[in-house]
Amino acid sequence: MKQDFYVVLGVQRDASETDIKKAYRKLAMECHPDRNNGDKAAEEKFKLVTEAYEVLRDPDKRAAYDRYGIAGLRGQGAAQGFTSMHFDLSEALMVFMRDFGLAGAAGFDTLFGSGERTRRDRRRGHDIKVGLKLTLAEVASGSTKTVRIKSLDSCPECAGTGAKPGTAPVQCGTCGGTGEVRRQAQSLFGQFLTVSPCPTCGGEGTLVHDPCSRCGGDGRVKAEKTIQIDVPAGVADHHYLTLRGQGVPGPRNGPRGDLIAVLDIKEDARFERHGDDLVYDLGITFAQAALGAEVQVPTPYGQATVRIEPGTQTGVAYRLRAKGLPRLGEGGHGDLHVRVHVWTPNKLTAEQKKLLEKLRDVEDTPPLKEEGGRFWDTIRKVLGGGHE
Ligand SMILES: [Zn+2]
Ligand SMILES: [Zn+2]
């Protein structure tokens, strides 16, 4: 066995489906080709982790793999399109998109840009990149953004053909309209066929003899348009949305490129974001900490109430379940952690001073470190150990 799929995903052999999914998502995000500038090692890793995931996520394939290793997958694979040890990149990207629940959703199909496409049409128009600014509230609820873009559109004069009205593009004589030239070639191993784009028509199969005067034969004119982009809830700052076929059209009715929206999420000063979880720092008074209180805190969904227990120490965190951000592609929400800080007043009125002095005369002293073992352990934990 060349690669152990459990090792590839970094999970135990008895890992649950959820663990496997989690491990895959983390790794796939890290080594996704669109985030690694075409780094080949990252691409290979992306393919491998995806392949491992495809096997281990499926109980039948996993059972076969556990028993017989890779060999156990051959028979099954043929029926399910899993025929060889190696995925190609486009297959791996498909799995990735499907796993994030984005395939076919609302017109876009990948989160991380267009990826690498094999055999791209030579006449395909360019992609358009736009930046989309989002607030945290929009991330929480999902949103529809309207963007205005400068692009090109099919020439109305010649209907995009590039030929002067009343004339039509003619079939290319060199390739007979196929756009390809085929050549027999001889190699050490015998004859083989090479196919390349026709040099006369550039692969289009047709030629324009009388170009349209409006577009100069290109078939496109300048245009501005307004596009609506649905942004799912739970997106993060590095995400891209790709809207297939919403980019620039290719010349002479060639296929359109894509529109790629790069998300730019404005920080919300009230919250610290940790993935789907949010942290809110709440200041309370000494009296609230000692006596307990009900306090209002902001959430991305409006105000919520936190019940402060009597005797609450600085550093304690209350967890408001499902008040964090939506989990992209998984359903459910992260949590909102309310981290408590006891605030010491720096200006006192005469009355407050008098009351505090009265309190001082009757209050207990904090426990000594030796005798208050558990108490100090808790304090150390909440102050040093983050917000859990
Ligand atoms: Zn035209
Ligand atoms: Zn040709």
Side-chain angles (χ1 to χ4, degrees):
M1 204 185 303
K2 263 170 55 189
Q3 296 273 4
D4 184 321
F5 286 162
Y6 290 95
V7 174
V8 166
L9 290 181
V11 295
Q12 301 291 322
R13 299 200 87 79
D14 60 355
S16 70
E17 273 177 58
T18 318
D19 292 340
I20 287 167
K21 194 182 190 103
K22 246 187 216 159
Y24 167 66
R25 287 185 167 199
K26 186 164 173 287
L27 289 167
M29 292 265 210
E30 283 168 6
C31 55
H32 194 285
D34 288 356
R35 302 174 75 190
N36 288 280
N37 274 326
D39 176 58
K40 280 285 157 197
E43 187 182 301
E44 285 307 312
K45 188 167 175 212
F46 179 75
K47 287 193 280 191
L48 185 62
V49 297
T50 305
E51 189 182 3
Y53 175 60
E54 270 296 83
V55 172
L56 299 186
R57 63 179 276 277
D58 180 310
D60 293 337
K61 285 184 195 163
R62 185 176 176 184
Y65 177 77
D66 284 346
R67 210 169 299 168
Y68 306 112
I70 281 293
L73 300 169
R74 298 249 157 75
Q76 294 209 14
Q80 295 173 34
F82 191 91
T83 44
S84 73
M85 254 306 275
H86 284 291
F87 266 18
D88 72 37
L89 185 60
S90 61
E91 284 173 274
L93 288 166
M94 287 286 288
V95 169
F96 179 83
M97 291 174 216
R98 186 209 59 213
D99 189 66
F100 276 81
L102 288 161
F108 49 82
D109 49 15
T110 159
L111 259 186
F112 295 108
S114 51
E116 181 182 300
R117 269 173 237 123
T118 47
R119 284 194 292 279
R120 175 168 284 184
D121 194 311
R122 281 166 56 90
R123 292 162 61 216
R124 184 178 177 278
H126 292 288
D127 294 340
I128 302 174
K129 235 180 202 178
V130 293
L132 273 193
K133 290 197 189 306
L134 297 171
T135 63
L136 199 70
E138 288 171 324
V139 172
S141 60
S143 65
T144 301
K145 303 294 276 186
T146 304
V147 288
R148 197 148 174 81
I149 51 174
K150 283 195 166 77
S151 177
L152 296 170
D153 227 336
S154 186
C155 171
E157 193 76 20
C158 60
T161 63
K164 192 185 210 145
T167 72
V170 294
Q171 197 179 74
C172 170
T174 309
C175 61
T178 61
E180 293 174 346
V181 284
R182 286 157 187 267
R183 243 191 315 261
Q184 294 279 355
Q186 192 71 40
S187 86
L188 214 53
F189 307 106
Q191 279 210 331
F192 67 99
L193 194 65
T194 65
V195 181
S196 48
C198 169
T200 310
C201 63
E204 288 182 40
T206 54
L207 294 166
V208 172
H209 286 313
D210 289 311
C212 162
S213 57
R214 173 119 182 235
C215 63
D218 180 68
R220 301 175 295 181
V221 290
K222 284 192 174 129
E224 271 194 36
K225 59 180 179 171
T226 304
I227 291 181
Q228 298 218 317
I229 302 176
D230 289 323
V231 184
V235 289
D237 214 14
H238 51 268
H239 286 168
Y240 291 62
L241 301 173
T242 301
L243 281 73
R244 288 254 190 272
Q246 299 268 14
V248 179
R252 289 170 293 283
N253 293 326
R256 282 179 176 267
D258 299 333
L259 178 73
I260 298 167
V262 183
L263 305 185
D264 175 12
I265 296 164
K266 196 166 173 282
E267 281 207 14
D268 188 317
R270 297 172 300 171
F271 304 109
E272 238 172 70
R273 181 173 181 176
H274 298 270
D276 308 319
D277 284 358
L278 296 172
V279 178
Y280 175 75
D281 282 307
L282 173 70
I284 59 173
T285 65
F286 169 71
Q288 286 176 316
L291 301 171
E294 278 191 3
V295 184
Q296 294 289 106
V297 295
T299 80
Y301 316 96
Q303 299 279 311
T305 306
V306 180
R307 186 188 296 272
I308 305 294
E309 297 295 329
T312 291
Q313 305 294 339
T314 280
V316 162
Y318 291 97
R319 180 199 296 252
L320 301 186
R321 287 201 187 273
K323 293 289 186 192
L325 297 173
R327 296 210 165 92
L328 183 65
E330 285 178 52
H333 290 75
D335 301 327
L336 174 67
H337 304 267
V338 177
R339 201 158 50 188
V340 172
H341 302 267
V342 177
W343 173 72
T344 310
N346 45 15
K347 268 186 213 137
L348 295 172
T349 64
E351 190 192 0
Q352 288 168 341
K353 199 170 175 204
K354 214 192 273 167
L355 284 169
L356 283 169
E357 281 166 354
K358 223 169 167 183
L359 176 62
R360 180 192 55 201
D361 296 340
V362 295
E363 73 187 351
D364 300 325
T365 50
L368 291 174
K369 216 171 167 186
E370 302 84 69
E371 62 196 34
R374 223 178 73 80
F375 168 79
W376 287 108
D377 280 351
T378 313
I379 291 289
R380 244 197 317 278
K381 214 168 97 197
V382 293
L383 293 180
H387 58 274
E388 274 306 311

